[in-house]
Amino acid sequence: AEPPAEFHTILKWADAVRKGKLAVRANADTGEDATNARAMGAEGIGLCRTEHMFLAPDRLPVVREMILANTPAAEEAALENLRKVQQADFEEILEAMDGLPVTVRLLDPPLHEFLPSVEELRVKEATTGKLTKQERAELRAAEEWAEHNPMIGTRGVRLGVVKPGLYAMQVKALMAAAAALRSRGKNPIVEVMIPLTVTREELALARSWVQDEIDAAVKGMKKKPVVTIGTMIETPRAAIRADEIAEEADFFSFGTNDLTQMTFGFSRDDVESRMMPAYLEQGLLKRNPFETIDVGGVGELVKLGAERGRSTKPGLKLGVCGEHGGDPESIALFYDAGLDYVSCSPFRVPIARLAAAQAVIGGATASTK
């Protein structure tokens, strides 16, 4: 349904109140999502998950080709094929958000997610007695990349350390997309985000891969674009050592979904269906911490990370891109912590705009008491 005129009026007031104090961005992975987000009033993209592009049916075979490559030349060829399709995706998103910042998170999930299930292939082998040559290769790779606890295994920047060509390819595609748009008179604003870093040294290494590709892309340009490089703060260690990590970062984005998992030691995929209802019913938790931020634990880590990061770099840009970015109560905490923006799913953007304004008014009221 079309919202009434009053809806737009209230959001206009909200935008005026929060202007320059707390921006609202969206999490979007496609040009269509980015277009919807902009129509909802998003002021940029705070999280573009590149793995969602890899999972598209026409991309998955190319990703598997890269994982199965058994020579450097074969891997390079597969990465080049991926680069072309990634560039097209990035062009679409940057065009939809022309003139607004787009934070692109480099590949985050473990590689086994792009391969068929080990169990499915073993069942097929047991029931039919044979697998194709491709399936045998996929089974070997799936077994090789399988981990007991993949959510805290070889994913994020750790995957980049094992396969540095992967991140280099993504940045190359991103810079080529930005160049293509600039040649058409557009104004792409690019922010590169490295996931899951926990040490300064780790971020310094990953930053060097990204910077090398940026330098190669802008070589010879008279007016060089400004591309910022930051990281996600999504582990307790990263929040505690944010002062060190900030030495290598232009911005932080708090990934509160993972930060909540790792602070509580809860597996989000498992506890929400079975354990969480019992805990809420018996009052062991007041709220589901994956829906509204846990103020005393996860919230304290966000505040600590923000404070320590800015103790190293006073102008460090801070945002949040977990699902909490669209929750009104959580937004109040993020404003209190001094964050510059929240990012949420496109359809939660109007709620976030209103809640951000309420947080600003609440903060102003508290400061006058």
Side-chain angles (χ1 to χ4, degrees), residues 15-23 335 338-341 356 360-361 364:
D15 292 343
V17 167
R18 66 182 180 82
K19 190 175 181 182
K21 296 182 177 73
L22 190 60
Y335 176 68
L339 270 57
D340 297 301
Y341 68 86
V360 171
I361 290 168

Side-chain angles (χ1 to χ4, degrees), residues 8-331:
H8 299 291
T9 302
I10 287 173
L11 287 181
K12 197 174 171 186
W13 293 343
D15 292 343
V17 167
R18 66 182 180 82
K19 190 175 181 182
K21 296 182 177 73
L22 190 60
V24 176
R25 298 192 191 183
N27 302 338
D29 315 316
T30 64
E32 187 184 351
D33 282 350
T35 302
N36 283 339
R38 192 161 192 160
M40 293 280 184
E43 296 157 296
I45 290 178
L47 176 65
C48 171
R49 308 173 188 89
T50 51
E51 60 269 16
H52 286 192
M53 303 167 180
F54 282 18
L55 289 164
D58 57 331
R59 312 289 161 79
L60 206 47
V62 189
V63 180
R64 288 178 180 173
E65 211 178 287
M66 182 269 295
I67 298 170
L68 299 176
N70 49 19
T71 67
E75 186 175 299
E76 203 174 307
L79 284 170
E80 178 55 21
N81 287 338
L82 268 179
R83 186 196 65 75
K84 289 172 188 168
V85 292
Q86 279 257 282
Q87 182 179 334
D89 290 329
F90 289 144
E91 281 188 42
E92 210 177 280
I93 290 167
L94 289 170
E95 185 156 19
M97 281 286 162
D98 187 39
L100 295 174
V102 173
T103 305
V104 175
R105 182 179 73 185
L106 301 180
L107 196 67
D108 184 44
L111 285 186
H112 82 270
E113 287 195 11
F114 303 103
L115 292 164
S117 152
V118 171
E119 287 73 22
E120 280 176 25
L121 289 171
R122 281 182 182 155
V123 166
K124 184 178 179 184
E125 189 176 30
T127 52
T128 66
K130 60 180 180 178
L131 292 175
T132 65
K133 187 179 176 183
Q134 173 75 6
E135 285 171 335
R136 280 198 304 274
E138 287 172 352
L139 177 58
R140 278 195 304 274
E143 287 173 334
E144 185 188 329
W145 284 98
E147 294 179 319
H148 291 294
N149 199 340
M151 282 309 292
I152 52 173
T154 313
R155 54 169 281 230
V157 71
R158 302 159 194 173
L159 185 57
V161 171
V162 177
K163 281 188 173 283
L166 199 52
Y167 277 8
M169 173 277 292
Q170 289 193 292
V171 180
K172 199 178 283 185
L174 183 56
M175 295 307 293
L181 286 174
R182 275 193 297 274
S183 70
R184 302 207 300 267
K186 303 286 183 182
N187 178 29
I189 300 172
V190 176
E191 301 175 343
V192 180
M193 186 155 71
I194 297 157
L196 211 67
T197 54
V198 293
T199 69
R200 172 184 50 209
E201 292 75 15
E202 203 175 33
L203 183 56
L205 175 63
R207 186 183 180 110
S208 71
W209 306 325
V210 175
Q211 195 62 57
D212 286 348
E213 293 303 325
I214 293 171
D215 292 344
V218 302
K219 199 174 181 181
M221 279 188 192
K222 286 180 183 173
K223 193 182 175 187
K224 291 185 169 72
V226 176
V227 180
T228 53
I229 304 168
T231 190
M232 291 187 81
I233 301 294
E234 46 194 330
T235 68
R237 190 190 196 280
I240 292 166
R241 302 312 313 153
D243 51 343
E244 292 177 3
I245 294 172
E247 291 175 23
E248 299 293 338
D250 300 323
F251 65 88
F252 283 169
S253 181
F254 289 90
T256 53
N257 298 346
D258 270 358
L259 191 56
T260 299
Q261 285 201 94
M262 296 197 201
T263 302
F264 275 94
F266 287 164
S267 164
R268 185 184 187 189
D269 297 330
D270 299 311
V271 304
E272 287 202 272
S273 58
R274 186 182 304 158
M275 191 202 87
M276 193 60 68
Y279 265 59
L280 294 172
E281 195 179 309
Q282 294 177 51
L284 299 174
L285 286 171
K286 289 181 182 174
R287 301 283 180 83
N288 179 340
F290 292 106
E291 290 173 2
T292 297
I293 200 156
D294 161 51
V295 175
V298 182
E300 280 298 300
L301 285 171
V302 171
K303 288 180 178 178
L304 185 69
E307 186 186 306
R308 291 195 174 175
R310 284 196 173 139
S311 71
T312 298
K313 278 189 183 167
L316 187 71
K317 185 159 65 175
L318 301 173
V320 63
C321 60
E323 277 306 302
H324 299 101
D327 172 64
E329 282 185 53
S330 305
I331 288 170

